[in-house]
């Protein structure tokens, strides 16, 4: 079978969490994928622990400094040689049938995006439709990491991830693609677990402001977005003031 999927992971001092991801990658029932890891010159044992990647996995590790997570992801995307890629964070986990299920999704058609279900803190999340105005990317697709298979060709039309959005560049790219009539296929399987401990889940004010900028750039009703942003700031006041 022709190799069509590449995993993309960005790491920096991820030694405490990376083994869980490695185990979930090694345990994939379908081994027909590549894995590109971009490491921002970790000073802990991250690179040492990457030696636990199974020899059955075609892994490419790039070690160099970057200008943020999306700069690093862009470096990986430029190295992708398959039709599709899937972003997985160092503290994310894939279900054993994730790659196999993604292959089933693309074998008969060639969707631009495949949105699957995902878990966060034990809660099941599903792709939505028509809620982009309210909840952004997951209102039109799914979580960017773990549960969204992306056709590399989309970057030829919509560009790479915009590093001017340090937390929500993924939201901007996916919403621009969907608004630009990218064909998205929504699936019922659970692809894995997306960690809530990344910057989008821990920097409340940073996420809210970056998310607001994306919404203003991708939604027509600007006044509504200002109102929603104000309400979110009030709702998350305690988190913001910590």
């Amino acid at each position: 079978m022709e190799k069509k999927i590449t995993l993309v992971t960005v790491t920096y001092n991820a030694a405490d969490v990376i083994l869980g991801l490695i185990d979930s990658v090694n345990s994939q029932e379908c081994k027909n994928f590549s894995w590109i890891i971009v490491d921002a010159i970790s000073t802990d044992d991250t690179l040492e622990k990457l030696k636990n990647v199974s020899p059955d996995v075609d892994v490419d590790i790039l070690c160099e400094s970057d200008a943020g997570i999306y700069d690093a992801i862009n470096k990986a995307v430029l190295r992708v040689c398959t039709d599709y890629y899937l972003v997985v964070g160092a503290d994310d986990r894939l279900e054993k049938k994730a790659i196999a299920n993604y292959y089933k999704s693309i074998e008969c058609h060639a969707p631009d995006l495949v949105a699957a279900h995902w878990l966060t803190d034990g809660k099941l999340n599903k792709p939505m439709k028509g809620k982009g105005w309210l909840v952004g990317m997951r209102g039109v697709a799914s979580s960017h990491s773990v549960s969204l298979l992306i056709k590399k060709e989309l970057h030829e039309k919509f560009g790479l991830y915009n590093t001017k959005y340090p937390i929500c560049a993924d939201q901007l790219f996916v919403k621009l693609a969907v608004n630009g009539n990218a064909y998205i296929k929504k699936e019922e399987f659970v692809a894995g677990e997306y960690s809530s401990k990344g910057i989008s889940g821990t920097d409340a004010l940073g996420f809210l402001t970056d998310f607001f900028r994306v919404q203003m750039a991708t939604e027509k009703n600007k006044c509504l977005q200002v109102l929603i942003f104000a309400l979110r700031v009030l709702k998350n006041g305690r988190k913001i003031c910590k």
Side-chain angles (χ1 to χ4, degrees):
M1 181 169 60
E2 180 186 358
K3 189 178 294 183
K4 293 186 177 182
I5 295 175
T6 297
L7 302 182
V8 167
T9 301
V10 172
T11 59
Y12 179 67
N13 289 347
D16 291 343
V17 296
I18 193 68
L19 282 178
L21 175 61
I22 292 171
D23 288 343
S24 74
V25 172
N26 288 345
S27 66
Q28 288 301 299
E29 291 185 2
C30 174
K31 305 292 187 183
N32 194 39
F33 61 91
S34 298
W35 192 10
I36 296 175
I37 300 170
V38 179
D39 182 81
I41 313 180
S42 291
T43 56
D44 64 1
D45 293 332
T46 298
L47 295 177
E48 184 67 25
K49 292 191 175 181
L50 286 173
K51 293 179 181 179
N52 290 285
V53 177
S54 169
D56 295 333
V57 176
D58 175 18
V59 61
D60 173 19
I61 302 174
L62 172 65
C63 297
E64 62 181 43
S65 59
D66 57 59
I69 185 170
Y70 294 107
D71 180 45
I73 291 177
N74 284 339
K75 291 180 181 182
V77 169
L78 291 173
R79 295 167 76 94
V80 169
C81 295
T82 54
D83 294 337
Y84 293 88
Y85 70 91
L86 176 71
V87 174
V88 284
D91 51 356
D92 296 335
R93 307 290 181 259
L94 292 172
E95 291 290 329
K96 290 183 178 181
K97 294 184 177 181
I99 299 298
N101 283 327
Y102 279 122
Y103 265 106
K104 290 179 182 178
S105 298
I106 63 176
E107 65 182 356
C108 295
H109 302 283
D112 295 308
L113 301 160
V114 177
H117 295 189
W118 75 99
L119 298 169
T120 298
D121 298 327
K123 179 184 177 182
L124 178 64
N125 299 278
K126 302 178 180 181
M128 291 188 282
K129 182 179 180 180
K131 294 287 184 70
W133 64 272
L134 181 62
V135 293
M137 172 177 59
R138 64 189 179 91
V140 295
S142 60
S143 164
H144 180 246
S145 187
V146 172
S147 58
L148 190 65
L149 190 69
I150 300 171
K151 182 180 279 189
K152 185 182 176 182
E153 282 183 2
L154 284 177
H155 291 285
E156 296 177 8
K157 183 176 181 180
F158 300 102
L160 293 171
Y161 294 96
N162 190 333
T163 56
K164 292 181 180 179
Y165 295 78
I167 299 177
C168 295
D170 54 347
Q171 299 254 359
L172 179 65
F173 174 75
V174 173
K175 288 198 70 183
L176 288 175
V178 172
N179 290 350
N181 296 316
Y183 168 39
I184 181 168
K185 186 176 183 181
K186 297 181 180 179
E187 293 287 10
E188 298 290 326
F189 67 87
V190 177
E193 184 161 4
Y194 167 66
S195 173
S196 63
K197 296 180 180 179
I199 189 170
S200 62
T202 56
D203 182 356
L205 182 58
F207 174 78
L208 286 175
T209 53
D210 218 32
F211 179 80
F212 172 61
R213 293 172 63 217
V214 170
Q215 293 297 86
M216 292 294 284
T218 58
E219 295 295 330
K220 294 180 179 180
N221 193 332
K222 311 298 183 185
C223 292
L224 176 60
Q225 292 307 315
V226 171
L227 175 61
I228 293 173
F229 174 65
L231 292 173
R232 284 203 171 105
V233 170
L234 290 173
K235 181 180 178 181
N236 291 277
R238 290 185 179 179
K239 291 182 181 178
I240 293 171
C241 294
K242 281 185 178 180

